Amino acid sequence: MATDASRLAVPEATAPAPATLTQRATLTAVASLLDYAARAVVGLVAVPILVGTLGRSLYGVWEILSRLIAYMTGADGRPTEALRLTIANHLTRSDEIAKRRLIGSAVFVWLLFLPVVAAVGAVLVWLAPTFAKVPVAEHATVRVTCALLVISFLLGSLASIPESVLRGANLGYKRMGYQAGLSIVGGVFMTGAVWLGLGLRGLAWAQVALAVVTGVCFWWLVRQFVPWFGVARPSVAEVKSLLNMSVWLSAGDVIAKLLLASDVLVLGLLVSSSAVTSYVLTGYSARLGLNLYALAAGAATPGLGGVIGERQHGRAAKIREDLLAVTWLFATVVGATILVWNRAFLGLWVGNQNYAGVWPNVLLVLVTAQSAFIRNDSYVIDAALRPRLRVLFGTLAAALTIALMVLLTPALGIVGVCVGLLGGRLIQTIAYPIIVRSCLGAVPASQSSIALQWTRRLLAMAALFAGATWLGQRVTVAHWATWGAGVALTVLVLPALAWAVGLDAAGRQAVLDRFRGVLGGVLRWRR
């Protein structure tokens, strides 16, 4: 009896404590940031090779085609995103057969939208030369390239089903290192294609090959870490439920692409593909920062979805307020760093001729900061499985944004595009926080205290951005080592300065609490 009792006691004494939501989110964020760091390094190496080999004009065409294909993400019904959110919302439920039926529903919805995707792809292939503004002799090459990108998109959307299951189950960190390796493989494929002289078609074939390799990798990965993974025949009600969410997410994704990808198309149509190259390269650092934020914040979505699914709305509202404080700090530090060092970075990376100027640089940073806050609330709304209002207000924002860009770009060029983005998306900036409060049923704090809190944050951000812009126009570096040391010093100093100046006591405590949680997650991972 004593021996049996001691045997039973051993597992209790040695079993590790379950990971908290913050720790799981941290592990997923670490994996995502590692993956994105690999993509960033690949981009830093590959982009100068592509620009140098293809030329500024043809590289601009490649960017236009890539953004054009991005519109197709709405045509596939977004079943994988609906699957991820639904599995996250059902995270604490033990019915594994029901979860397999969710996967079956996602596959069914993907097949249902396949003819729509094919039709949209055919239209985009036909119109691609018009958007790219290429000579008649290049029409065939552009259309073949676009067709290959459509095929790559189809393969990638199907391959994302196992990845969505992994992320929805809050196990996204299990892919740590795999996605980074795939990014390196993709970079090798792309640079190899242009090195062999295959041009735009070679780049597109590289994307097709990468989609196949990615699908195989994630299928194997999810089989290793999600024991219940499989496909079961869903009921009609389950398909309808996932289809309804997929349709709204699909519409929301189309709106997001109109907001985030139409800038390049408008600039290419109304100005030139060379202007697109300057715009894309000047905004490279800002997009890098925004994507880093999206990966880190998105890592918290499965855990937040579980909290909302359990109807712990007060706790969810507190998480959201903490995330807003962290988002402000991140946007301020990253934005100011870009304003100081982006001009020097472009001079070292691709040459000063690709720098669009001080005002485009400032406006792109402001667009990035605005996007971070919009995405923060978008994640909360989607985690609550209530994307309808988000989509409706996003539609209004997209219509106003495109109208402003079309009106302002012919006269102002890149500045007109940026002003259009900022002005049009004010609708989302105002509406999304109201939608979040309705989703969480949270009682708003005193309006005067909120106004005072955000006045302080915005004034601190404006002061830091102004000082960073002034410094950025005067900083000159000749070597990467000098630039790297300067960026490292800036990143060390700015967080402490912004934390002390822009956040009140509650905000500073929220950031500290989140930092301790992140540190705990990293230490747990290392053990």
Side-chain angles (χ1 to χ4, degrees):
M1 293 292 292
T3 303
D4 292 339
S6 63
R7 287 176 180 170
L8 291 172
V10 171
E12 295 182 4
T14 59
T20 65
L21 291 180
T22 300
Q23 288 170 341
R24 278 182 175 257
T26 299
L27 293 174
T28 301
V30 169
S32 299
L33 294 175
L34 176 63
D35 300 340
Y36 194 71
R39 288 204 298 273
V41 171
V42 169
L44 288 172
V45 175
V47 168
I49 296 174
L50 298 183
V51 174
T53 305
L54 297 175
R56 294 184 71 221
S57 180
L58 206 54
Y59 179 76
V61 171
W62 173 253
E63 286 289 339
I64 291 171
L65 294 179
S66 299
R67 301 295 179 94
L68 201 59
I69 295 301
Y71 283 109
M72 292 183 60
T73 54
D76 73 342
R78 305 298 286 152
T80 56
E81 183 66 9
L83 176 65
R84 180 184 70 83
L85 292 169
T86 306
I87 288 179
N89 197 263
H90 292 66
L91 199 59
T92 58
R93 303 182 190 181
S94 58
D95 190 346
E96 296 183 353
I97 300 299
K99 293 177 182 179
R100 292 193 187 103
R101 289 200 301 269
L102 287 174
I103 299 174
S105 298
V107 173
F108 184 88
V109 173
W110 183 86
L111 291 172
L112 187 66
F113 277 87
L114 187 58
V116 178
V117 175
V120 171
V123 172
L124 293 180
V125 168
W126 181 255
L127 295 177
T130 302
F131 282 101
K133 293 178 69 173
V134 294
V136 176
E138 300 292 334
H139 281 198
T141 297
V142 169
R143 286 196 174 112
V144 170
T145 301
C146 193
L148 290 171
L149 288 176
V150 170
I151 294 172
S152 171
F153 171 82
L154 288 170
L155 294 173
S157 63
L158 182 61
S160 64
I161 289 178
E163 182 185 6
S164 296
V165 172
L166 200 68
R167 293 176 61 205
N170 214 3
L171 296 171
Y173 58 90
K174 296 295 186 180
R175 75 188 193 276
M176 191 174 298
Y178 289 94
Q179 190 74 61
L182 290 170
S183 298
I184 295 171
V185 169
V188 171
F189 284 171
M190 292 179 68
T191 54
V194 295
W195 182 73
L196 292 172
L198 300 178
L200 291 177
R201 296 187 187 188
L203 287 176
W205 274 115
Q207 296 303 303
V208 173
L210 181 61
V212 173
V213 174
T214 300
V216 172
C217 178
F218 274 104
W219 187 272
W220 175 84
L221 201 59
V222 76
R223 295 289 295 177
Q224 298 296 311
F225 296 110
V226 183
W228 54 262
F229 178 76
V231 180
R233 183 175 181 177
S235 66
V236 174
E238 287 169 328
V239 172
K240 284 184 177 179
S241 177
L242 194 83
L243 177 61
N244 180 63
M245 170 161 282
S246 295
V247 168
W248 282 109
L249 290 173
S250 178
D253 203 71
V254 170
I255 299 307
K257 291 301 181 293
L258 286 172
L259 287 166
L260 298 175
S262 58
D263 50 357
V264 166
L265 299 182
V266 169
L267 194 60
L269 283 171
L270 299 182
V271 185
S272 68
S273 58
S274 296
V276 169
T277 298
S278 294
Y279 175 78
V280 168
L281 294 177
T282 301
Y284 182 87
S285 297
R287 287 196 310 278
L288 175 66
L290 180 61
N291 289 335
L292 287 173
Y293 166 79
L295 291 171
T301 303
L304 180 59
V307 172
I308 296 173
E310 294 173 356
R311 300 188 179 278
Q312 300 181 38
H313 290 158
R315 183 183 174 196
K318 177 63 168 60
I319 292 173
R320 185 246 179 183
E321 291 301 320
D322 291 354
L323 288 176
L324 280 177
V326 175
T327 300
W328 175 86
L329 185 63
F330 182 89
T332 302
V333 171
V334 170
T337 303
I338 290 171
L339 290 172
V340 173
W341 296 104
N342 196 36
R343 185 175 68 91
F345 165 71
L346 287 171
L348 292 170
W349 185 40
V350 289
N352 289 320
Q353 72 275 12
N354 290 299
Y355 178 60
V358 59
W359 280 112
N361 196 33
V362 171
L363 291 170
L364 284 167
V365 167
L366 293 178
V367 168
T368 300
Q370 183 188 48
S371 298
F373 288 108
I374 290 172
R375 288 196 182 192
N376 185 82
D377 283 339
S378 296
Y379 290 141
V380 178
I381 295 168
D382 287 347
L385 304 184
R386 293 174 61 182
R388 181 172 176 270
L389 284 175
R390 176 179 71 80
V391 174
L392 293 176
F393 280 102
T395 303
L396 295 176
L400 180 58
T401 297
I402 293 174
L404 289 174
M405 286 194 296
V406 171
L407 287 172
L408 297 174
T409 300
L412 300 177
I414 293 175
V415 170
V417 169
C418 296
V419 172
L421 286 170
L422 284 169
R425 295 195 300 176
L426 279 175
I427 293 175
Q428 293 170 296
T429 303
I430 296 169
Y432 281 13
I434 299 173
I435 299 172
V436 167
R437 284 198 291 269
S438 70
C439 288
L440 300 182
V443 178
S446 168
Q447 294 298 318
S448 59
S449 65
I450 292 175
L452 185 62
Q453 178 187 76
W454 279 101
T455 298
R456 175 176 176 173
R457 292 180 183 179
L458 293 177
L459 286 174
M461 176 184 278
L464 289 172
F465 280 4
T469 302
W470 184 85
L471 282 174
Q473 293 307 110
R474 288 155 179 80
V475 168
T476 302
V477 296
H479 304 288
W480 281 110
T482 307
W483 180 87
V487 170
L489 181 62
T490 304
V491 170
L492 286 174
V493 172
L494 273 179
L497 181 61
W499 180 80
V501 174
L503 294 174
D504 58 11
R508 289 195 292 269
Q509 188 60 48
V511 171
L512 286 177
D513 290 343
R514 290 294 156 184
F515 177 76
R516 292 190 188 103
V518 168
L519 185 61
V522 172
L523 293 175
R524 179 186 180 89
W525 167 60
R526 291 192 65 183
R527 289 198 299 267

